[in-house]
């Protein structure tokens, strides 16, 4: 689809040419020989004139010159460097060092999900330590203010700095995709987390939180749509560059007539937009699929067991591994929703299944009902659920690996669909080779049944697998629509030109005949290979590469946010504004490092 020139062609930039704006941005000039970029600070020649190489040199060697941010200051700095005068790097004053330490501690408190008021406790701990170890340095704590109000403001300042950096990088996005996750529940409110994955001309991928939206205040799909468009506009992004949309498979997201996806696709339809690819199975694969597979409300029953264990069996040695796993997942304090979500994971169900005998004995000892352990149908459903969710866990772990590109993720999904076909045939034949827990239950039941008595009904479980197959087919339908584009991206030298659209055949033939490019393809990863591909010589293939690279290839950033939420549910449930919640989620999920000097200077300016 993307190889066919039905829509306006992606803009491409020449990656090997020096750009004048780099002089002020990265403090480099074009050398007299006309090749590479000459650093004005260290006089080193940067041979490869791609922006990422110039930027990496600047950030690694001369990032301290970010102090000069105003246009006039920057221009004066460049002029001084041209004349050979290298300004000395000003040392931080004691006040600035204290401010930087305070910012670092505020960020650490946010990352660990600690409350604003715990900054004072940190100060007390440091004071106790310094009095015994470095008594002469106790006074340094006097300049570090970790009061709740200051810590709260510092977290907001860090968020503002990170957001500004994201918006600067977004200007260079050639294509981007959005991921919408509506499964974030904080206290009694539901939030939509909006993530963005953008790619620049050098195929450098950036995954970040774009915004969070309070669904209590944006209940209608129209209000949600307006909030997302506002966030994109603030970031300087237009719908013309949006390639993909990945969501959860809730009705709010994928409802046929009233879902957010249909609204966004309708908004993105114009001669200058690309066809937006939508897929809805990446986020919370185990959690949401479990509702299709749990035919006998198994999880609800297990949830009641866990509550009893946490209240009356916490000291029992046989449950210590289970309780430790629970606390590592969502902390000591847990609400019902977090517990339910944890129990819907394949790993958790497998652990509980292995403890079923111990749980039955525990329930008997406290006088609780054990009727389920004598229900043949319920036990078979339990074993089947454990096995199917374990297979889904394996797929979810594969989809949790980032930086592999959507082509690889789609391969994992296709492989899993083939596995479902095999499992369905095995169930029909009553072959439980790949159903370990189910087979164990059946073997135990057969010992107590008559020889001709039926243990389980294969049709019951075939229906469940068939339902799961249809769901997968529906969720990833659009990825099949661009299957040729994904294959071209993953294996450009093995893709037969006669199967490609006429518009790309000439480029593909020329690419496959280039021995140098073939050698590069063999030794480089896909991202580095396409980054070095000339946009002038291969504009269509380069455009396909940028679009494919911008598609979300994993659920990693969403799982990172969800993990932060479940671990710190108690802290996040304290009274927080949406701005503060946004700041905490951004700090927890970002890969961008704050510009500390800018933050320190901003603090000093506000106090002056």
């Amino acid at each position: 689809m993307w190889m066919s020139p039905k829509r306006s062609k992606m803009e491409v930039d020449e990656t090997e040419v020096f750009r004048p704006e780099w002089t002020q941005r990265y403090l480099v000039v074009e050398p007299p020989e006309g090749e590479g970029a000459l650093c004005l600070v260290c006089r080193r020649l940067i041979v490869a004139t791609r922006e990422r190489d110039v930027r990496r040199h600047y950030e690694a060697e001369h990032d301290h010159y970010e102090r000069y941010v105003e246009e006039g200051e920057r221009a004066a700095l460049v002029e001084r460097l041209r004349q050979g005068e290298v300004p000395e790097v000003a040392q931080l004053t004691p006040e600035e060092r204290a401010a930087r330490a305070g910012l670092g501690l505020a960020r650490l408190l946010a990352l660990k999900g600690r409350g604003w008021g715990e900054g004072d406790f940190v100060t007390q701990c440091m004071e106790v330590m310094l009095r015994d170890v470095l008594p002469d340095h106790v006074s340094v704590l006097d300049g570090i203010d970790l009061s709740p109000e200051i810590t709260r403001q510092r977290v907001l300042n860090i968020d503002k700095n990170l957001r500004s950096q994201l918006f600067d990088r977004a200007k260079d996005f050639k294509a981007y995709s959005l991921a919408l996750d509506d499964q974030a529940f904080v206290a009694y409110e539901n939030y939509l987390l909006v993530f963005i994955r953008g790619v620049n001309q050098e195929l450098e991928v950036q995954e970040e939180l774009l915004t969070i939206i309070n669904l209590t205040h944006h209940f209608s799909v129209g209000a949600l749509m307006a909030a997302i468009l506002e966030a994109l506009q603030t970031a300087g992004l237009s719908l013309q560059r949006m390639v993909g949309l990945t969501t959860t498979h809730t009705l709010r997201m994928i409802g046929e007539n009233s879902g957010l996806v249909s609204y966004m696709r309708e908004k993105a339809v114009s001669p200058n937009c690309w066809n937006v690819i939508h897929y809805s199975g990446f986020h919370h694969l185990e959690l949401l699929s479990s509702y299709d597979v749990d035919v006998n409300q198994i999880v609800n029953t297990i949830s009641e067991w866990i509550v009893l264990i946490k209240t009356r069996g916490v000291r029992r040695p046989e449950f210590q591994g289970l309780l430790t796993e629970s606390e590592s997942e969502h902390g000591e304090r847990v609400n019902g929703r977090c517990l339910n979500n944890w129990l819907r994971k394949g790993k958790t169900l497998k652990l509980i299944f292995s403890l079923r005998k111990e749980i039955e004995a525990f329930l008997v000892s406290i006088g609780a009902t054990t009727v389920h352990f004598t229900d043949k149908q319920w036990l078979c459903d339990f074993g089947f659920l454990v096995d199917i969710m374990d297979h889904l866990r394996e797929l979810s772990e594969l989809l949790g690996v980032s930086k592999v590109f959507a082509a690889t993720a789609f391969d994992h999904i296709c492989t899993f669909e083939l596995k479902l076909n095999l499992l369905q045939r095995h169930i029909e034949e009553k072959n439980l080779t790949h159903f370990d827990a189910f087979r164990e239950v059946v073997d135990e039941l057969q010992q107590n049944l008559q020889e001709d008595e039926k243990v389980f009904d294969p049709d019951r479980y075939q229906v469940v697998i068939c339902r799961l197959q249809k769901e997968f087919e529906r969720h990833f339908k659009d990825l099949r629509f661009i299957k040729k584009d994904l294959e071209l991206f993953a294996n450009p030298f093995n893709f037969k030109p006669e199967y490609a659209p006429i518009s790309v055949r000439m480029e593909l033939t020329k690419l496959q005949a280039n021995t140098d490019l073939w050698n590069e393809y063999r030794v480089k990863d896909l991202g580095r290979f396409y980054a070095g591909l000339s946009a002038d010589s291969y504009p269509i293939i380069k455009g396909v590469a940028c679009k494919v690279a911008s598609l979300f290839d994993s659920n990693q950033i969403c799982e990172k946010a969800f993990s932060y939420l479940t671990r710190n549910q108690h802290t996040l449930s304290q009274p927080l504004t949406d701005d503060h919640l946004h700041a905490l989620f951004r700090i927890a999920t970002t890969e961008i490092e704050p510009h500390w000097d800018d933050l320190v200077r901003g603090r000093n300016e506000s106090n002056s």
Side-chain angles (χ1 to χ4, degrees), residues 33-160:
E33 297 79 9
E35 293 183 0
L38 181 65
C39 178
L40 288 171
V41 181
C42 62
R43 298 294 168 178
R44 187 184 302 172
L45 182 66
I46 305 166
V47 179
T49 319
R50 297 191 184 97
E51 183 170 9
R52 63 174 177 175
D53 299 308
V54 177
R55 183 175 67 248
R56 283 172 182 168
H57 171 79
Y58 174 76
E59 291 178 348
E61 304 290 339
H62 313 301
D63 189 46
H64 45 269
Y65 285 105
E66 283 296 304
R67 282 173 165 269
Y68 301 86
V69 290
E70 300 296 335
E71 187 174 348
E73 285 184 334
R74 202 72 175 174
L77 172 64
V78 169
E79 189 58 34
R80 292 172 65 185
L81 291 171
R82 283 181 185 275
Q83 296 173 6
E85 180 185 346
V86 180
E88 292 185 9
V89 180
Q91 297 295 319
L92 292 176
T93 64
E95 293 78 10
E96 289 175 328
R97 285 200 298 271
R100 173 135 183 191
L103 286 161
L105 288 169
R107 181 198 188 197
L108 185 61
L109 289 171
L111 281 171
K112 298 301 181 182
R114 314 309 296 184
W116 312 124
E118 296 195 29
D120 288 334
F121 176 67
V122 171
T123 302
Q124 294 171 20
C125 292
M126 294 171 64
E127 184 176 354
V128 170
M129 180 186 68
L130 287 176
R131 285 193 188 282
D132 290 334
V133 181
L134 297 169
D136 296 338
H137 294 75
V138 175
S139 59
V140 301
L141 296 177
D142 296 339
I144 304 176
D145 189 348
L146 292 179
S147 62
E149 296 76 15
I150 295 297
T151 302
R152 187 183 294 115
Q153 186 57 48
R154 281 174 175 156
V155 168
L156 288 176
N157 290 342
I158 292 172
D159 171 61
K160 184 178 179 181

Side-chain angles (χ1 to χ4, degrees), residues 230-405:
E230 182 183 354
L232 289 172
Q233 185 177 6
T234 304
L237 292 166
S238 66
L239 288 177
Q240 280 76 13
R241 285 185 276 172
M242 186 166 76
V243 171
L245 193 61
T246 178
T247 67
T248 55
H249 46 278
T250 58
L251 283 176
R252 182 193 284 117
M253 293 291 111
I254 63 172
E256 188 171 346
N257 297 318
S258 58
L260 182 60
V261 172
S262 60
Y263 272 72
M264 292 200 70
R265 279 183 151 171
E266 190 177 317
K267 190 74 175 177
V269 171
S270 78
N272 296 320
C273 294
W274 300 317
N275 291 323
V276 175
I277 300 302
H278 170 251
Y279 44 104
S280 57
F282 268 23
H283 303 335
H284 312 297
L285 178 66
E286 294 174 83
L287 170 62
L288 296 177
S289 295
S290 69
Y291 290 98
D292 297 320
V293 181
D294 189 359
V295 293
N296 207 349
Q297 303 297 307
I298 306 292
V299 171
N300 291 343
T301 302
I302 295 174
S303 179
E304 295 173 4
W305 296 349
I306 299 301
V307 171
L308 288 172
I309 290 172
K310 281 179 170 287
T311 53
R312 302 179 65 179
V314 70
R315 296 186 181 277
R316 294 196 174 224
E318 62 267 31
F319 299 139
Q320 293 310 303
L322 179 65
L323 294 171
T324 301
E325 178 73 21
S326 171
E327 289 182 10
S328 68
E329 183 72 20
H330 45 236
E332 295 181 7
R333 301 181 182 181
V334 58
N335 61 27
R337 183 178 296 278
C338 288
L339 178 62
N340 191 281
N341 293 345
W342 174 63
L343 291 173
R344 291 184 181 278
K345 291 190 173 184
K347 181 180 177 182
T348 308
L349 285 170
K350 198 171 183 179
L351 176 59
I352 291 171
F353 181 82
S354 69
L355 292 169
R356 67 192 185 283
K357 300 294 185 185
E358 290 82 355
I359 292 174
E360 182 182 9
F362 165 70
L363 294 176
V364 170
S365 70
I366 64 172
T369 179
T370 58
V371 64
H372 297 96
F373 291 97
T374 57
D375 185 336
K376 179 181 67 174
Q377 184 69 74
W378 191 92
L379 288 171
C380 287
D381 291 345
F382 186 18
F384 176 78
L385 175 65
V386 169
D387 289 326
I388 289 295
M389 292 308 299
D390 195 46
H391 290 306
L392 283 165
R393 174 194 59 79
E394 292 174 359
L395 175 61
S396 184
E397 287 178 356
L398 290 173
L399 295 179
V401 179
S402 63
K403 313 232 187 292
V404 294
F405 299 114

